[in-house]
Structure formats: structure tokens, C-alpha cells
Amino acid sequence: MKAIEIADGIHWIGANISTTDLFEGIWPIPQGVTINSYVIKGDKIAIVDLVRDWAGASTYLIDELKSLGISPKDVDYFVMNHLEPDHTGDLKAMFELSEKVEIITSKKGVPLVEAFYGFTERVRAVGTGDTLDLGQGKILHFYDIPNVHWPETMATFEESTGTLLPCDAFGSFGAFKGSIFDDEVSDADHKFYERESLRYYANIVGPFSNFVLKAIEAVGTLDIKIIAPSHGLVWRGDPGRIVNRYKAYANYMKDYAEPKITVIWGSMYGNTELMLRAVLQGIASEGVLTEIFRVPQDNISYILASVWESAGLVFGMPTYEYKMYPPMRDALTHIIHKKAMHKKVFRFGSYGWSGGAQKEFDGMIEKMKWDIVEPLEFQGGPTDADLDLAFERGAALAREVKQIPIKSKEFP
Ligand code: FEO
């Protein structure tokens, strides 16, 4: 691709990544991901965030620079908002192409530049309140936005164009399908990017939601006209749309959620599955939406996205050797690690010669602040009375979830 102008003197460069690799070595990206960098040109030239040498990204970046008539040796500053290697992987190679370039990063970024790439010279620390004048009216302002996504993360704001470059914040999975801009994609594609931004958030940024809210507050006073994150669309038509989305995502771990139930289940011989049907009928009797995942078949990345926004969760799994069915333990470990707090939760399942899953489940979720509907366990196969109870518990959970929408509609 050629560089694309997003504002006067500011161009997108970067890469549309299409690969069978997993993002962070964990998360599937069947629809791709973008790594966005930006060139800002005054009398001096800055590149804000770089790429890693992944699926040809480094070559694309240099070619896009060339399309602007810029060689890496012409660049004065690499502004590193965030040191995670998806945005810095080619820093060493790029740095060595220029004798004058200076690395600009946050105070907490400086030791990471040394740890990852060994550079201690031509590295400058900046923080909230600091500026960098590129000439020709292009002045960069820096804002610390720690933990969105790592502790050293900062955002860069170019004042004359009102362009905010916040790195991971306001980012998304999903490659570009033709345009990089929010005001040039169809409604159907907006729905696609919305799901992919939720999945990105739940997989990557979720545990740091309080910091996301602080970051939104920190940049909230700026006259932002364009939001140019390092993954996903550039928001110039309606930047408020992605900010509000992120506000909602951050509040999902507090007291805001969508009125739906994520059902996660696994069954060895079909007995837990029999009860699942009764639970689902109970939920359906109250007209509440469900999203259903089976473990280990379904990928945790998609389960997390659903869990993140749902007011209610159902876990259906048997006991396995005195403990939880292992694929469910794996899923629950991810859910707890990502801090999907404040849910309404029901768990059920069968056991053979001994129980034990419930005890382990209770211990794992102790700190999650979940409201628990009384669990249901049974030996062997469920009786008719068990199935009636399962229907009732499913319906009870659904009634609790239906209380949530009132709050939901008030947000943001
Ligand atoms: Fe896109 Fe936290 O790196």
C-alpha cells in the first residue's frame, strides 16, 4: 500500500496482517489485524509507533515511507507510545538505518527500550505536559495513559489537526477491507469491527479497564477530531463512537452489562448435556438472549468476548477425578485472569462416583464478586425432578439478568 493521508501533514503507514499466527501467541485472528504507524511531517519528521517484522510488515512500512519520498535515514524521531513488540519489533533495524534519529518514549518506556533493544543513547523520556515541536505548526503533546496496555503506555496528540494517536487504546482486531477510515466502511462492516473491537478489548485490554476510564478522562479535555489507534480503523467521521464503545467495554467489569447470558458447557457422556437443554429452556421461557459455547471445542478468545459483555453466565460441566472438567477449568482461568467481574452466575453438572467440581469452582471464583444462583449437581443421569429444577434455575437466572437493561439503557 501507499501511505494514506489522514490529516494535513499526517499519513498512515503500516500493515494489514493476514496470517495463521496467533496474536500474542494466544488469540486467533482469522480476519486479520492491522498494525498502524503514522508519519508526522513538519520541518522535522516523526514516526509514531512502528511495526514488527511480521507477514512482511517491515517491508511494507519502508515502502510506504518511500511513497512519501522519505527514507528511514531522514526520520528525526521515533515516538514509541508503547513498547510491546508488535509496535517496536523493527525498532533496532530502523534505528540502525538512521544516524540522527532519536527515540521518544515515556519515562517507564526508557528501561524497556534498553531491555528489548539495548539502546541507551539517543533516547529521550517525556510525560504528560511535555511537547515536541516538529516545526510548521506541528506540535506533539504527550499524555501518560499507563496500563492501556502496559505501564509505560502514553498517547500522542498533534494539536493543529486534533489527531490523537493512542496506540492500543481504541484499537481492534480485523484487517482493513478496503478503507482505513470509519466514514468509508459499510454498516455491515461496522458491525464486524464492533465485534472485533470487543474481542480485542476482552482479550487484551480488559483487565486494565479502570485505567482505560482514566485514560479517557485524561484525553477528554482535548479537541479531538481524529483518533488514529495502532490497530484497526482510523476514526475521523465519528471518533466519539469508538470512545463510547470503549467506555461501555470498561464498564462491563463494573455495574454495566448487556442483558444476555453466555452459556459455556462441556459434557463427557451426555448427562450434563441433558441438563443443559433444560437450563436453556428455562432461560428461553423468560425471553433472554443466550450465546452458547462448548469447551474444549470453542476458542477462548470468542468466549471471553461474549462473557465480557454478558450480564449472566452459565457453566455446565461434570466432575472429573474429584475436580472440574479440565477444559472448563482452562476457560474459567482465562475468565478470572481477565477480571470479568460482577456477573450473575449459575453452575450445574453431573458426577460419577464422587463430586468435587463445585468445590473447586467455588474456590476459584471467590474474588469475582459474582451473584450466584444456587448450583445444581446430580449423580449419574438427571432425574425428571432434576430437570425441572434445572429449568427453574435457568429461568431464575434469566429473571435476574432482565433487571440489568434498565441500567444498560442509561449508559453512557
Ligand atoms: Fe498492540 Fe499492547 O500492543
Side-chain angles (χ1 to χ4, degrees), residues 23-24 82 84 86-87 149-150 167-168 200 204 230-231:
F23 193 83
E24 289 190 334
H82 172 32
E84 191 166 11
D86 51 334
H87 308 291
H149 149 228
W150 283 8
C167 203
D168 280 353
Y200 172 85
I204 310 291
S230 289
H231 304 291

Side-chain angles (χ1 to χ4, degrees), residues 56-133:
S58 298
T59 306
Y60 291 131
L61 187 105
I62 289 177
D63 285 349
E64 286 149 358
L65 263 183
K66 280 184 190 159
S67 76
L68 295 170
I70 297 171
S71 155
K73 67 179 168 44
D74 302 327
V75 179
D76 298 280
Y77 305 107
F78 293 146
V79 177
M80 301 284 90
N81 281 325
H82 172 32
L83 267 294
E84 191 166 11
D86 51 334
H87 308 291
T88 59
D90 65 349
L91 177 61
K92 193 172 177 63
M94 290 289 283
F95 191 84
E96 286 169 354
L97 292 175
S98 171
E99 289 179 2
K100 66 176 179 179
V101 75
E102 190 177 5
I103 297 168
I104 309 292
T105 189
S106 68
K107 291 175 186 68
K108 287 184 178 170
V110 171
L112 291 178
V113 169
E114 182 178 3
F116 277 107
Y117 305 108
F119 296 130
T120 54
E121 304 289 321
R122 289 153 53 199
V123 181
R124 191 194 313 182
V126 294
T128 299
D130 290 334
T131 59
L132 181 67
D133 191 344

